[in-house]
Structures are given as C-alpha cells and as structure tokens.
C-alpha cells in the first residue's frame, strides 16, 4: 500500500468526505478503494511552510499536520495544495538584483513541489537575485527524496550544506546573507509579507478547486509538473480533484468566505491599492513583499482562477512588471 505524509500543513480532510451521489466523489472512492482505508488526513495548498505558514488548516491555510503513516488519499489532498499562478505584460522596469560574488552562495539545492506556492515564493527570491540553484522534485507519496531530513515538508533549501526551512525564514536568512548591511526590517514590507502568509494563501484553494472542472484543471497542472509515476499521476488527478473540490467547500466555511471569486478579487485589489501608484511596493525595485505575493500567485496564474483575477482586477500590470523584473529562472539544469 502506498503511504505518504501530508504535503502541506494545514488541513485535515474529514473521513467519509465522498458522497455517493457525486460522480467525482465516486471516482475518488473507486481510486481509493484499490489503495486501502477510506480515512485520511491531508492538507492542501500547503506543501510547505510559513512560520505559522501556519500550522493550522491552510489549504485552507496551507499546512496541515499529518501523522507519519497515512493512506494515499491524504497524499492526494496534500498535492492539491501545491498550486499558484502567473502571467505578465512587459514594461520598463529595473533589472534583477544580482548578488555580489563575495556573498553569493556556492551550492544551493531546493527540495520542492513544482506547483507549491511557498516553494515558488523561495524560487522568486532566488531568480530575482540571480542565485543559481539545483532542484530536487519531491514525490509526495513517500517523500523519499527528503528522508534524510527530520523536517518533512517543503520547501527545504540547503545552502552550502546548511538546511533552511519555512519559506519566510529561508528568505529572511538568505536576504541577511546577501545584504548584511540591512539590519532593520521595513515595517510596511513586513506587514505585507505577513498578509501573504496569513490571508492571501487562504483565498487561493477555494478558488482553484471551486468547481469540478477547475479542480481537474488544477490537478492536471500539479500532476504534469510533479514527480509522479504513471499510476500516481492518474490516481492523483481524478481522486485528488474530487477530494479537493469537496474540501474547498469546507474551507469556505472555515474562513467565512461566501463568494470565492469576490474574495480573490478583493485580495488582488487590496494589494494593488497598497502599491499606491508605485512600480512596486519597494518603489523602483521589488522588495520581499513583492516577491512573496508574486511567488505565491505564480503557480495559479494560468489556471482559470488566475486568468479571472487578472481580467477582473487591476493586479495585472504589477504582475507583468514583476515577471519582467524577476526575469529568467536561475535554476541549474540537471
């Protein structure tokens, strides 16, 4: 029996969540039956960590606690939390901020899920600063790639042999390393970074799993970009989509969301207003808050939720400037 530990950290999937009257639910039950027990604990949109990136329901919030031994269904729920978005229109913006050779890390390895919003947050920082990094794609069913670590979530970033965990902590430590002269944190920047981890991420899951078709679209993206066997890919796409479609309804209730799209649009407009006529929150260059918002949204940008957000709010121009500013990935090809 395939077993897995939860990917994201926030969100237990209740037992007997599938309803026999739902075709999607029936498909999920069928897939699960071949694997074993019906009960599962999972989390979604939360492959990762945020300081409290939060040890509550995130996928709702994005990070759930998962017992060391759970069935594949919990792995499916965990997978679900790994999505975000991106797109852009080019405009004249400042170039990337490369790191001085004196402070440039020599060996950087990121253990990740490709579609995970918190992993993408770390990658946005690395790409913007032109820090070369290698990627190890973790298989959420078993996580054998990170068995060497006591920390069982992603992202994990190993920098010159030192293990860093929790996306916001990773960024703080790297930023301090490459900018040792910056000893005082900007209050506005810190405020909006907290907003990303404590609010924005909670709005995403109810949107990308809002309907059966959107849940299937999201899992198609997750499974096509992740580290899965052929069998795992098929099971994750259909059973996972069914699970997260149902879970998203519980998330709406938990976070008092009555209209998913309205909540997403409101978050996008809130961020756009925070920019207040500037190119970026950081002024002429993106700061850590800009990179956090961009990173978390990048995985879902081309999903229906991301497309709708750009079409119905004023966040698109900022997002396009961010794509131009972050530029090409500094990821090293294997």
């Amino acid at each position: 029996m395939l077993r897995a530990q939860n990917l994201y950290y926030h969100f237990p999937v209740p037992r007997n969540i599938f309803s026999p009257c739902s075709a999607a639910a029936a498909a999920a039950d069928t897939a699960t039956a071949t694997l074993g027990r019906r009960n599962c604990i999972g989390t979604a949109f939360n492959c990762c960590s945020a300081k409290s990136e939060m040890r509550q329901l995130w996928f709702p919030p994005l990070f759930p606690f998962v017992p060391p031994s759970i069935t594949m269904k919990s792995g499916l729920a965990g997978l679900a939390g790994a999505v975000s978005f991106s797109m852009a229109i080019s405009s004249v913006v400042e170039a990337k901020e490369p790191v001085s050779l004196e402070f440039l890390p020599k060996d950087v390895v990121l253990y990740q899920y490709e579609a995970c919003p918190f992993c993408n947050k770390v990658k946005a920082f690395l790409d913007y600063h032109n820090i070369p990094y290698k990627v190890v794609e973790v298989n959420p069913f078993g996580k054998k790639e990170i068995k060497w670590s006591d920390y069982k979530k992603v992202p994990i970033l190993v920098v010159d042999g030192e293990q860093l965990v929790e996306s916001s902590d990773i960024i703080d430590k790297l930023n301090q390393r490459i900018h040792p002269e910056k000893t005082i944190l900007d209050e506005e920047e810190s405020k909006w970074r907290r907003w990303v981890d404590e609010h924005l991420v909670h709005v995403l899951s109810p949107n990308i799993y809002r309907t059966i078709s959107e849940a299937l679209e999201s899992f198609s993206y997750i499974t096509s970009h992740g580290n899965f066997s052929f069998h795992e890919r098929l099971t994750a796409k259909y059973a996972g989509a069914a699970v997260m479609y149902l879970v998203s309804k519980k998330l709406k209730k938990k976070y008092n969301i009555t209209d998913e799209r309205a909540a997403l649009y409101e978050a996008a407009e809130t961020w756009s207003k925070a920019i207040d006529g500037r190119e970026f929150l950081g002024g002429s260059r993106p700061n850590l808050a800009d990179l956090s918002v961009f990173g978390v949204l990048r995985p879902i940008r081309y999903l229906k939720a991301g497309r709708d957000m750009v079409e119905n709010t004023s966040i698109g121009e900022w997002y396009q400037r961010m794509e131009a500013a972050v530029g090409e990935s500094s990821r090293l090809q294997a």
Side-chain angles (χ1 to χ4, degrees), residues 75-216:
L76 296 175
L79 294 180
V83 178
S84 270
F85 61 122
S86 68
M87 163 190 176
I89 297 174
S90 63
S91 61
V92 179
V93 297
E94 295 280 356
K96 297 188 174 204
E97 276 192 61
V99 178
S100 167
L101 289 177
E102 178 184 2
F103 303 116
L104 185 68
K106 295 180 176 59
D107 185 39
V108 179
V109 182
L110 176 65
Y111 293 82
Q112 66 153 28
Y113 301 135
E114 182 65 29
C116 162
F118 292 110
C119 297
N120 274 276
K121 194 205 306 188
V122 173
K123 287 190 287 187
F125 180 91
L126 296 170
D127 292 340
Y128 177 63
H129 290 93
N130 240 357
I131 300 173
Y133 60 98
K134 290 172 277 190
V135 166
V136 175
E137 190 69 19
V138 176
N139 183 312
F141 300 113
K143 302 185 179 179
K144 64 181 181 181
E145 296 81 3
I146 55 174
K147 285 199 179 209
W148 54 270
S149 174
D150 291 334
Y151 187 79
K152 300 306 179 185
K153 295 182 291 176
V154 296
I156 296 174
L157 192 71
V158 179
V159 181
D160 295 335
E162 179 186 2
Q163 174 181 282
L164 304 179
V165 299
E166 303 281 355
S167 63
S168 292
D169 284 350
I170 290 171
I171 291 171
D172 284 340
K173 289 174 182 177
L174 275 181
N175 194 55
Q176 184 176 25
R177 174 169 176 162
I178 66 177
H179 297 300
E181 75 285 357
K182 294 183 179 179
T183 57
I184 301 178
L185 296 178
D186 179 84
E187 184 176 342
E188 181 185 42
E189 185 178 23
S190 297
K191 166 191 169 183
W192 287 103
R193 290 180 69 196
R194 290 193 299 271
W195 175 80
V196 171
D197 292 340
E198 297 171 6
H199 176 71
L200 180 59
V201 292
H202 299 302
V203 174
L204 302 184
S205 295
N207 274 278
I208 65 172
Y209 304 116
R210 183 180 63 146
T211 65
I212 288 292
S213 63
E214 287 182 85
L216 284 169

Side-chain angles (χ1 to χ4, degrees), residues 258-274:
T258 55
D259 184 322
E260 305 94 321
R261 282 298 194 267
L264 179 62
Y265 298 164
E266 181 181 9
E269 291 296 359
T270 295
W271 174 250
S272 298
K273 289 176 183 177

